[in-house]
Amino acid sequence: MARDHGFHPVRITRVVDETPDTRTFALDAHFPYLAGQFLTFKVCGTLRSYSMSSSPDTDEEVCVTVKRVPGGLVSGWMHERLRPGDTLEAALPGGSFCLREDAADRPLVAYAGGSGITPVYSLVKSALATTRRDVRLLTAHQNAGAAIFRPALDALAARHPGRLGLRHHFDDRDGLVTEEEIRALADEGADFYVCGPEPFMALVERTLAAHRVPPERILIERFTPAAPEATPQETPPAPQGPLAGTVTVGLRGQRRTVPQRPGETLLQSARRAGFTPPFSCESGDCATCMARLTGGEAKMRANNALDADEVAEGYVLTCQAEPTTPDVTVLYED
């Protein structure tokens, strides 16, 4: 049987204003998770994933921290509507942006831009609580008022002098983050964790690569969900023509067939067929988009959500799966 990838009710116990546009929601939820993982919520008929800012090693509550995005359907609704006592539907935790089991003696260096501090805060707390690792953290925000968890991080650094090196970067005071700042924290023997806006992450990744940090030592958390109003017609056209094959998609009692396109995932094919299939992270971490192959074969670019038994039964992450046979049939199960 497939693992539990369904949605379950979780009750909000507290709401904390972290900054004018960021709130932490404490949940009455009882499930195991790892520092750095996220929860996927079903809100307003839409799926969104938010990282947990709590640590299973230091915090009794499970907390997610949500920054309100201008025009954001889900983040706006959560900020405006949710109060203690309200209930949300959440899938079990997922994600691979976690501490490595074989890295207990390696330094941890983290770069967090804006709300990217959320999973990094969880990782830092667990690393300090369960290992002897030295931790160095650069946070980057537009200004001091936008600095999420700043008082808590300062207090954490005070409790761990010599182990937690912390630098707060504020654009209005310091200008944009520079390669020199990034290199100042770099340690060739460290594991590097990066989360934040795409330009920030690209700069960090490029700087670390130039510093000859091995790619396997750099862990990056990316969440780039499509805008709520996106439609299948907005999917960029493939640069090449269709292959001599088809993709048949079954969803909510309907079946539609489209020609295969080079490099297109099954999720993209389903959108091109006119469906609105379920998805969230689009990075192979959350299993929201999982479906079952009933004909043909497909290969996943990444899989951090399905176990070996599920893969053997034909389940794939459609955001990562590309057809490898001329004709493929994939069914989304209700």
Side-chain angles (χ1 to χ4, degrees):
M1 291 181 61
R3 284 185 297 151
D4 183 353
H5 296 293
F7 287 80
H8 306 274
V10 293
R11 186 173 59 86
I12 296 172
T13 58
R14 292 190 305 128
V15 179
V16 180
D17 289 329
E18 304 288 356
T19 70
D21 62 357
T22 307
R23 284 183 171 177
T24 291
F25 299 91
L27 308 173
D28 182 13
H30 305 282
F31 41 63
Y33 69 99
L34 300 175
Q37 289 192 309
F38 58 82
L39 291 174
T40 299
F41 296 94
K42 186 185 294 183
V43 178
C44 305
T46 303
L47 302 175
R48 287 289 185 273
S49 296
Y50 294 108
S51 296
M52 285 173 277
S53 52
S54 56
S55 160
D57 303 300
T58 63
D59 301 310
E60 295 182 0
E61 298 173 305
V62 175
C63 297
V64 295
T65 299
V66 179
K67 183 173 182 177
R68 182 168 186 164
V69 178
L73 173 66
V74 175
S75 63
W77 184 90
M78 293 179 74
H79 274 245
E80 293 171 5
R81 298 287 297 275
L82 291 182
R83 300 291 183 271
D86 290 340
T87 300
L88 288 169
E89 288 187 275
L92 297 184
S96 57
F97 189 67
C98 303
L99 299 176
R100 293 175 168 175
E101 294 181 0
D102 64 348
D105 297 325
R106 289 201 293 267
L108 187 158
V109 177
Y111 303 91
S115 60
I117 187 60
T118 301
V120 170
Y121 182 40
S122 175
L123 291 169
V124 167
K125 288 188 286 186
S126 280
L128 292 173
T130 64
T131 75
R132 297 180 179 179
R133 303 174 72 173
D134 289 333
V135 179
R136 292 193 287 278
L137 170 61
L138 170 68
T139 73
H141 300 279
Q142 292 180 343
N143 53 62
I148 306 167
F149 307 134
R150 183 185 181 188
L153 285 169
D154 289 342
L156 199 60
R159 290 200 302 272
H160 296 275
R163 281 192 66 200
L164 175 57
L166 175 63
R167 168 166 170 72
H168 297 296
H169 174 105
F170 304 129
D171 291 347
D172 65 344
R173 180 191 69 189
D174 306 315
L176 297 179
V177 173
T178 65
E179 294 183 3
E180 288 73 20
E181 285 180 278
I182 296 168
R183 285 197 298 268
L185 271 68
D187 182 326
E188 64 181 26
D191 279 346
F192 296 84
Y193 290 80
V194 187
C195 191
E198 191 61 40
F200 172 83
M201 294 191 294
L203 174 64
V204 174
E205 187 174 19
R206 183 170 63 251
T207 303
L208 293 179
H211 199 63
R212 297 185 179 180
V213 175
E216 62 272 16
R217 289 287 182 88
I218 305 173
L219 287 82
I220 298 179
E221 182 75 310
R222 285 185 170 94
F223 283 106
T224 54
E229 63 273 13
T231 67
Q233 288 73 27
E234 291 171 346
T235 303
Q240 305 176 40
L243 297 172
T246 62
V247 176
T248 299
V249 182
L251 177 63
R252 302 185 187 97
Q254 299 185 49
R255 287 201 183 203
R256 300 172 188 168
T257 300
V258 294
Q260 287 187 20
R261 284 183 174 175
E264 186 174 79
T265 65
L266 295 178
L267 178 64
Q268 292 169 325
S269 297
R271 289 171 176 159
R272 188 159 51 88
F275 285 123
T276 54
F279 74 97
S280 185
C281 73
E282 293 200 73
S283 60
D285 286 330
C286 73
T288 302
C289 69
M290 69 181 291
R292 191 169 190 171
L293 286 175
T294 60
E297 297 179 2
K299 181 178 181 180
M300 289 184 282
R301 303 167 183 167
N303 171 28
N304 299 312
L306 303 180
D307 61 28
D309 289 341
E310 290 172 319
V311 174
E313 291 172 7
Y315 288 98
V316 295
L317 303 174
T318 59
C319 75
Q320 299 294 310
E322 294 183 33
T324 57
T325 56
D327 297 291
V328 171
T329 299
V330 59
L331 300 180
Y332 290 88
E333 299 180 354
D334 293 334

